[in-house]
Structure formats: C-alpha cells, structure tokens
Amino acid sequence: GISLHGNFVWLTRLLHMLGANFAVISLLIHLGKAVSYSRVVSPTKVIIWLTGSVIFLLSLATAFTGYVVVSGNMSF
C-alpha cells in the first residue's frame, strides 16, 4: 500500500485521522451549542442557521464519499 512508500507516512495518516475526528466533534459541539442557546428567532439567525446547516451537510457528504470511493481507496 501507499503507507509503505515514504518516511513517516504513518504519522501523516494518523494526524489526518485525528484532525478529521476533531473536525466532526467540533461541528457537533458547535451545533449543540447553537441549538441550546438559540431562543430568539430573527431573519439574520435563520440565514446563519441555514448556512451552517448547509456547511454541515456538505462536510458529511464529503466525508461519506471518502468511504465509497471505488477500488477501496478510502484515503483518496
């Protein structure tokens, strides 16, 4: 595999995995904070909420495509 070609490739893969996990956890914490603290609804907050929801869904879709890449290339 590709992890055999190069120095410290295992470290790069580990850091990428940890960074991806941190990004998902951060998104979920931020979403929870937004849900728990949003009491007043205004047009500006609706736009911000929709923008954040789109970003969240796009990030989930991007992450999902990493698991369904052809030939089993999960790190593509």
Side-chain angles (χ1 to χ4, degrees):
I2 194 168
S3 62
L4 301 176
H5 303 295
N7 298 326
F8 299 106
V9 176
W10 61 270
L11 181 63
T12 304
R13 292 180 66 182
L14 177 68
L15 291 175
H16 185 267
M17 178 190 66
L18 292 174
N21 287 336
F22 178 73
V24 170
I25 290 169
S26 298
L27 278 170
L28 291 175
I29 289 173
H30 187 66
L31 181 65
K33 183 186 72 147
V35 168
S36 64
Y37 286 131
S38 62
R39 300 283 184 244
V40 179
V41 178
S42 66
T44 305
K45 284 188 178 181
V46 170
I47 292 171
I48 293 171
W49 177 261
L50 290 175
T51 304
S53 298
V54 168
I55 292 171
F56 181 67
L57 291 174
L58 286 174
S59 67
L60 288 179
T62 303
F64 179 74
T65 58
Y67 288 105
V68 294
V69 172
V70 294
S71 305
N73 294 328
M74 289 180 62
S75 61
F76 181 71

